[in-house]
Amino acid sequence: MSHMPYVKPTIIQHINSLANKHGRGPSRHSLERIDGVSLTELLERFGSPLFVFSERRLRQRVREVRRAFDLRYPKVQFAWSYKTNYLDAICMVMHDEGAWAEVVSEVEYELALRNGVPPTQILFNGPYKPLPALKNALADGSKVHLDHYDELYAAEQIARELGRKVPVTLRLNMDTGVHPRWDRFGFNLDNGEALSAIRRLHAGGHLELEGLHCHVGTFILDPQAYGRAAARLAQLAIDVRRETGVPVRTLDLGGGFASRATLHAQYAPGTDSTPPVDDYAEAIADALLSAGFPPDELPTLLLETGRSMVDESGSLITRVVANKRLANGARSVVIDAGVNVLFTSFWYRHDVLPVVDRGGMLEDTVVYGPLCMNIDVVRPSVLLPPLEIGDALVVRPVGAYNVTQSMQFIRLRPAMIMIGRDGEVDLIRRAEELDDVKRAEHLPARFRKS
Amino acid sequence: MFDNLALSDNGFLFDTRTGSTYSLSSTGTLLLRSLIAGAAPDGLPAVLVDEFELDGRTAAQDVEQFLLRLRDLRLVASDTPPTEAV
Ligand SMILES: Cc1ncc(COP(=O)(O)O)c(C=O)c1O
């Protein structure tokens, strides 16, 4: 008997070079543990698939991002973008690290309150703030970012009812050289709309311009786009100060820094091509510090960084449920987690790694989810070793947007755990049950079987 | 029937007829070498079981998949009957 371990008999045709169309392969070939905790044991304990968040990684990253800005600008405040991931445990880590909350609906506003965030530390964005929510937020001193004229009128009416001047922030959009341009939100700076809105706001006499806000877009790979946006916000603030005599106290550059994920269109992996957060900080701080603010009127820099903070702290552990050859001879595997819980598969070329690498040749593989839908493709092409049914794979980074955009489409949503700083493992969301989904439904009596 | 195939010990395969090249795993190399030497497909699972600590069912399934691949790649004639999985 041979002393070599058994590997599956495989044959792979060379097409130019093996790794050609994949860019460089993953930085490693397997991942057995996260923060020292065995992924195989986690699957045995909590079932598959399973979202795993690393508290250590998350806090490290938050501190790294904050330090990049604190080193370069004296007044910086982060606000956690709730829509990026509003699991309570994640939000609590962010708040514990000093972040305020940035919310875009009355639902998220409520979540932030429930997490103990004082209203004055909530930034309220979004194109639709229902009137009662807008009233509460303005009355309680939240930083409300007005998106359009109708909202400005509504805010004026509320201030009138409150009988006092109410501070507000204006959301602006502008050409920063980034595409797609997020010009459906806020007032346009390029065509003069922003300046007329500010004049109108002052003339109204009920609102006070506290801040200016601009969210350039998401997954922005060019730090200079932020430099341009910051320079223009600063210039506008200085112009407004000259015209009205009132200094603008906050400049909010939104979110959008790229995480170290890899977009489908990118050749090099995100770990190589994503700019370090220092580059964004440098561009923004340079623009603000050279804008010409008097030292005692330097505005506070607000940031709503989402994915860049949380993406890499999240991994999805999943099991292979089938091996399959496609009609064209291509190899595929079916896993037990699909795009209903991995929305970012549509944008990202996630790392897909076996938990245990048992050797054998790597082969170009399509990774399918378990949904009976053609769109359920987790990776259209990735080099993987031979896999058996039940083998575990890690998909990463998945910390941003997947939890909040997941849905109970065909399958229920899986359990989510957090590995604490000392390696303790906590369930932070149990696997969904059918009743969770059906509880809100009501079957008319005439359909009930007696 | 395998005259056109040059298979090296480390699993590099060159098809002189088509000019295509392939890489085989060590077990794939063992199986194809057996076929080239005249082994019957039915006997291949036993070749694996003799060589590795492996149950007969896995061996039969893996051999079946391997032979299907060889057929897809037109390295064996498509009328070669695949062995039945147990
Ligand atoms: C207003 C606003 N702020 C912050 C964010 C967070 O963006 P990101 O996750 O790209 O940092 C978004 C997301 O699109 C947003 O719309």
Side-chain angles (χ1 to χ4, degrees):
Chain A
M1 189 156 300
S2 159
H3 294 293
M4 301 288 287
Y6 177 70
V7 294
K8 277 189 185 296
T10 48
I11 177 167
I12 296 164
Q13 185 165 21
H14 300 164
I15 298 163
N16 298 324
S17 115
L18 247 189
N20 223 10
K21 68 175 160 168
H22 310 277
R24 254 191 28 213
S27 51
R28 51 188 303 159
H29 293 300
S30 63
L31 186 71
E32 291 193 36
R33 290 166 186 278
I34 291 178
D35 294 350
V37 178
S38 154
L39 299 181
T40 306
E41 283 171 32
L42 285 180
L43 282 192
E44 277 160 16
R45 185 165 156 206
F46 295 101
S48 177
L50 179 71
F51 276 94
V52 175
F53 288 92
S54 160
E55 181 181 349
R56 204 186 293 170
R57 189 89 186 238
L58 180 58
R59 287 188 189 266
Q60 242 170 29
R61 178 63 184 163
V62 173
R63 288 170 194 189
E64 186 180 309
V65 174
R66 211 180 49 205
R67 194 167 52 240
F69 281 88
D70 284 344
L71 280 173
R72 294 175 172 87
Y73 195 77
K75 294 155 84 176
V76 185
Q77 178 61 54
F78 282 89
W80 175 235
S81 160
Y82 263 50
K83 69 169 157 306
T84 306
N85 187 325
Y86 51 54
L87 284 171
D88 286 343
I90 297 286
C91 293
M92 291 316 255
V93 170
M94 303 309 288
H95 298 317
D96 189 53
E97 290 291 335
W100 293 1
E102 186 264 339
V103 304
V104 292
S105 70
E106 69 283 14
V107 177
E108 290 188 354
Y109 194 96
E110 186 73 29
L111 286 178
L113 289 181
R114 286 190 351 177
N115 286 334
V117 182
T120 51
Q121 296 184 3
I122 300 178
L123 318 186
F124 197 175
N125 269 307
Y128 173 47
K129 306 173 189 81
L131 202 53
L134 185 63
K135 269 185 189 157
N136 280 340
L138 286 171
D140 292 346
S142 299
K143 300 203 180 309
V144 175
H145 294 188
L146 301 180
D147 187 79
H148 45 70
Y149 268 109
D150 282 329
E151 204 163 66
L152 190 154
Y153 300 145
E156 278 190 337
Q157 178 57 30
I158 292 166
R160 222 176 272 131
E161 287 165 17
L162 289 172
R164 58 180 160 89
K165 230 172 171 173
V166 171
V168 293
T169 292
L170 279 203
R171 177 162 183 170
L172 309 181
N173 68 71
M174 66 190 80
D175 183 6
T176 57
V178 161
H179 290 278
R181 211 182 283 170
W182 281 43
D183 55 8
R184 53 170 287 199
F185 302 108
F187 299 85
N188 188 262
L189 184 58
D190 304 315
N191 68 8
E193 185 191 27
L195 194 57
S196 13
I198 291 169
R199 288 186 176 134
R200 168 66 190 74
L201 184 152
H202 274 282
H206 296 286
L207 303 176
E208 174 193 304
L209 185 69
E210 177 181 32
L212 297 171
H213 168 275
C214 174
H215 172 71
V216 174
T218 192
F219 213 96
I220 304 301
L221 286 158
D222 175 15
Q224 290 317 313
Y226 287 91
R228 291 188 282 273
R232 296 194 61 196
L233 285 190
Q235 188 53 52
L236 182 64
I238 286 168
D239 293 347
V240 167
R241 165 80 166 100
R242 192 176 305 123
E243 193 170 317
T244 65
V246 186
V248 174
R249 294 196 295 276
T250 60
L251 295 182
D252 184 335
L253 267 293
F257 306 152
S259 69
R260 273 177 287 188
T262 310
L263 300 178
H264 282 299
Q266 285 178 306
Y267 182 75
T271 41
D272 292 351
S273 55
T274 297
V277 68
D278 294 271
D279 292 7
Y280 297 96
E282 188 85 26
I284 292 172
D286 269 2
L288 297 186
L289 291 174
S290 61
F293 289 106
D296 57 331
E297 286 183 13
L298 211 55
T300 297
L301 169 61
L302 297 177
L303 291 160
E304 305 164 354
T305 310
R307 80 171 73 237
S308 166
M309 294 274 199
V310 77
D311 216 3
E312 284 166 83
S313 68
S315 306
L316 177 65
I317 322 302
T318 162
R319 283 194 199 277
V320 172
V321 295
N323 282 290
K324 196 165 175 176
R325 282 281 160 195
L326 304 179
N328 65 0
R331 174 195 180 202
S332 73
V333 297
V334 184
I335 59 175
D336 63 6
V339 294
N340 62 315
V341 296
L342 261 182
F343 187 84
T344 51
S345 300
F346 297 122
W347 309 338
Y348 288 176
R349 207 158 71 216
H350 292 110
D351 254 1
V352 179
L353 308 169
V355 167
V356 179
D357 185 1
R358 278 191 269 91
M361 288 171 56
L362 301 183
E363 185 177 0
D364 191 3
T365 307
V366 191
V367 180
Y368 289 119
L371 308 180
C372 191
M373 287 290 285
N374 214 23
I375 55 164
D376 195 17
V377 182
V378 171
R379 274 291 301 263
S381 165
V382 58
L383 290 174
L384 285 174
L387 295 164
E388 307 278 359
I389 289 175
D391 279 356
L393 297 174
V394 183
V395 181
R396 63 174 195 180
V398 303
Y401 294 102
N402 287 301
V403 174
T404 37
Q405 296 193 81
S406 66
M407 53 185 152
Q408 308 108 333
F409 178 57
I410 301 181
R411 307 193 70 82
L412 298 174
R413 289 178 290 194
M416 305 180 184
I417 61 135
M418 181 178 272
I419 303 175
R421 277 181 288 187
D422 301 320
E424 68 272 35
V425 172
D426 290 301
L427 187 66
I428 57 173
R429 194 177 199 276
R430 64 161 167 77
E432 262 169 1
E433 295 161 5
L434 198 51
D435 276 346
D436 295 326
V437 183
K438 286 287 166 185
R439 194 154 33 220
E441 284 191 35
H442 184 72
L443 188 67
R446 66 181 186 283
F447 296 129
R448 282 183 224 148
K449 300 232 166 76
S450 49
Chain B
M1 132 180 215
F2 294 112
D3 290 351
N4 52 311
L5 296 186
L7 177 61
S8 78
D9 285 344
N10 58 10
F12 182 81
L13 176 67
F14 180 47
D15 183 341
T16 55
R17 183 168 45 85
T18 61
S20 299
T21 58
Y22 308 82
S23 294
L24 288 92
S25 63
S26 52
T27 47
T29 307
L30 176 67
L31 294 179
L32 184 57
R33 187 169 298 296
S34 305
L35 284 173
I36 292 172
D42 286 352
L44 293 180
V47 172
L48 291 181
V49 171
D50 285 351
E51 199 67 25
F52 299 96
E53 209 170 302
L54 190 68
D55 64 281
R57 185 195 177 92
T58 305
Q61 286 178 353
D62 287 355
V63 165
E64 179 180 49
Q65 291 300 313
F66 181 68
L67 290 174
L68 286 171
R69 274 307 275 156
L70 293 185
R71 204 179 61 183
D72 288 345
L73 294 168
R74 301 187 190 286
L75 291 167
V76 298
S78 57
D79 57 1
T80 307
T83 53
E84 286 295 316
V86 196

